[in-house]
Amino acid sequence: MSEQRKTTISVIKADIGSIAGHHKVHPDTMLAASRVLAEAKRKGIIKSFYVTHVGDDLQLIMTHFKGVNSPEIHELAWNAFKEATKVAKELGLYAAGQDLLSDAFSGNIRGLGPGVAEMEFVERPAEPIIVFMADKTEPGAFNLPLYKIFADPFNTAGLVIDPRMHDGFAFEVLDVYEGRRVILKAPEELYDLLALIGTPGRYVIKRVFRKKDNEIAAVVSSERLNLIAGKYIGKDDPVMIVRAQSGFPAMGEILEPFSFPHLVAGWMRGSHHGPLMPVGLKDAKCTRFDGPPRVVALGFQVHNGELVGPTDLFDDVAFDETRRLAQQIADYLRRHGPFMPHRLGPEEMEYTTLPQVLERLKDRFEAAEEELGYKPIIRKSEELSGKQ
Ligand code: F6R
Ligand code: MG
Ligand code: MG
């Protein structure tokens, strides 16, 4: 084994159907996917794997030596989802096959529906990683925690006192509407970074690198199903991989931002804001108003390409108060019913009847300029989104 051999972690997820609504993956579908991965491990295609779920999303966590975007690994994940879908259909599960937008695999799973986060690196003598998996939200939900982990010294003490991190980190930010990316450096470009990532529906942190040596520190899935499919298909519930310790933020610095249940877009019908609730695997199911949005964190050691673990990091009393606060926020928001800001703005809603309602009412709208006292300028909706 060469010392420079790189290990790849691939986390690939899809909603291929669930039990009793969009609530929870059925164990038999996890078993079907596990069989496919076990066979691939036997053949030496992957080194190790862990299959789990968060809410209605089936999660494949794999290690191998084939690099990111490997057609062989993507095809393997595709086949695992296909087999799981067969079982979902046999069982009559809800929305069986939902996220598999294509009938055929064509070399890369990205753009076909499933979400993908992958990174490769030369393993350190001990390599701790955390895999985060969220349900009922979108990739930009990780913007705020990633900012705190890699750019906020009030969260991450190491940015100030660990010489290996003191130069800071670089953030690769994707504009998911226009398909462009930009790299911004912290701390020197913090305000520019925040100006973008504070709009998490559009600007998504895709990767984080350590500035000192450009080592990969974090990667997020960035697929937005509604943008891929052109219409609402399902929520693009995101996954993220973060490396911890020895020159990266400590495990506890990485988990700390999740003690604040910040508001994310998603929840019921992908059309509401709600608090992101950190939970252990046993609570990784979306019940109340199809939520609230949940996030699970699994810790692993990666050793000679093997996944050792996991440990279920949010299954801890230290997050009880966060969960209680999240429930209080959920109660408070729910009382707004169909009103913003609980309901998302019209541009972000996954379900809407607004065009039909406007169409039906078009002949009943009458001029009301005298009521306003001015002649309004008709503006396009994007121009309505804030002062220019
Ligand atoms: C959101 C989600 C659910 C569904 C809701 C309605 O990501 O998966 O909240 O949007 O349960 O689902 P349908 O339209 O399938 O009845
Ligand atoms: Mg779903
Ligand atoms: Mg989901």
Side-chain angles (χ1 to χ4, degrees):
M1 186 177 84
S2 117
E3 265 186 23
Q4 287 307 300
R5 181 171 70 167
K6 286 187 171 174
T7 302
T8 309
I9 322 283
S10 298
V11 182
I12 307 188
K13 50 82 43 180
D15 178 347
I16 52 85
S18 54
I19 182 163
H22 297 273
H23 155 234
K24 189 179 175 182
V25 168
H26 191 288
D28 290 2
T29 60
M30 294 209 284
L31 208 62
S34 300
R35 279 201 201 98
V36 175
L37 298 192
E39 179 62 11
K41 180 178 170 178
R42 201 185 56 75
K43 288 185 181 152
I45 298 169
I46 51 175
K47 180 78 177 171
S48 66
F49 69 91
Y50 188 78
V51 173
T52 186
H53 81 93
V54 174
D56 58 6
D57 294 292
L58 177 56
Q59 309 279 352
L60 313 178
I61 305 171
M62 300 171 282
T63 55
H64 54 92
F65 303 110
K66 299 183 188 303
V68 301
N69 282 325
S70 155
E72 202 178 355
I73 299 300
H74 284 205
E75 185 165 20
L76 173 64
W78 183 256
N79 291 339
F81 291 135
K82 280 281 187 199
E83 287 304 308
T85 299
K86 268 190 212 159
V87 174
K89 289 191 170 154
E90 274 162 29
L91 293 172
L93 296 185
Y94 194 67
Q98 168 184 282
D99 284 359
L100 307 189
L101 304 181
S102 166
D103 290 333
F105 179 76
S106 55
N108 192 316
I109 204 164
R110 283 158 53 226
L112 298 184
V116 185
E118 298 182 288
M119 60 160 70
E120 76 174 325
F121 47 74
V122 176
E123 285 175 23
R124 296 169 291 164
E127 184 67 57
I129 63 161
I130 305 179
V131 177
F132 290 91
M133 296 161 284
D135 190 29
K136 303 292 185 269
T137 185
E138 61 180 13
F142 289 129
N143 282 6
L144 187 151
L146 279 171
Y147 173 81
K148 286 190 170 173
I149 295 165
F150 291 105
D152 180 0
F154 281 76
N155 180 85
T156 300
L159 293 168
V160 181
I161 62 178
D162 182 341
R164 294 168 297 183
M165 283 167 53
H166 192 74
D167 286 350
F169 289 86
F171 292 74
E172 178 184 327
V173 178
L174 272 186
D175 173 347
V176 295
Y177 278 57
E178 294 202 5
R180 299 179 303 166
R181 78 176 102 200
V182 61
I183 304 228
L184 290 167
K185 292 181 174 166
E188 58 271 43
E189 295 179 298
L190 277 188
Y191 298 161
D192 289 350
L193 176 66
L194 286 168
L196 297 184
I197 65 173
T199 307
R202 174 160 187 169
Y203 298 103
V204 175
I205 300 174
K206 175 69 194 173
R207 294 185 185 81
V208 181
F209 300 93
R210 184 166 57 194
K211 262 166 47 194
K212 200 179 171 73
D213 50 11
N214 224 23
E215 268 293 299
I216 181 92
V219 64
V220 177
S221 62
S222 50
E223 288 70 22
R224 290 217 38 182
L225 267 175
N226 55 329
L227 299 180
I228 297 169
K231 61 181 166 45
Y232 178 75
I233 295 287
K235 204 66 194 167
D236 17 270
D237 309 310
V239 289
M240 163 164 92
I241 311 167
V242 185
R243 295 171 79 188
Q245 308 289 152
S246 317
F248 290 115
M251 191 270 287
E253 290 168 332
I254 296 167
L255 299 179
E256 179 67 1
F258 293 90
S259 66
F260 167 57
H262 67 293
L263 293 182
V264 297
W267 207 352
M268 174 58 78
R269 298 178 186 276
S271 302
H272 294 82
H273 281 120
L276 186 62
M277 182 186 269
V279 291
L281 280 170
K282 71 176 183 352
D283 296 315
K285 53 187 175 182
C286 287
T287 51
R288 186 171 169 205
F289 201 54
D290 285 1
R294 315 261 166 145
V295 59
V296 163
L298 297 185
F300 294 92
Q301 290 294 133
V302 182
H303 184 58
N304 293 333
E306 291 270 358
L307 285 169
V308 178
T311 170
D312 189 356
L313 294 162
F314 289 141
D315 180 19
D316 181 355
V317 292
F319 287 93
D320 280 353
E321 287 308 314
T322 307
R323 290 187 272 266
R324 220 183 319 274
L325 177 59
Q327 292 189 51
Q328 283 170 11
I329 295 167
D331 282 336
Y332 172 80
L333 283 170
R334 285 296 304 122
R335 288 176 66 183
H336 292 77
F339 283 80
M340 289 172 66
H342 177 31
R343 201 212 69 201
L344 298 185
E347 336 71 49
E348 279 287 308
M349 285 160 64
E350 313 277 13
Y351 282 57
T352 185
T353 49
L354 191 58
Q356 293 100 298
V357 171
L358 287 173
E359 175 61 26
R360 198 163 52 242
L361 299 183
K362 73 175 189 297
D363 298 331
R364 288 168 54 191
F365 271 106
E366 28 179 80
E369 281 161 22
E370 73 286 1
E371 204 69 64
L372 291 174
Y374 62 87
K375 189 170 169 52
I377 311 157
I378 298 169
R379 292 183 293 186
K380 284 192 252 127
S381 60
E382 62 265 29
E383 289 170 353
L384 287 170
S385 58
K387 275 188 190 165
Q388 303 293 309

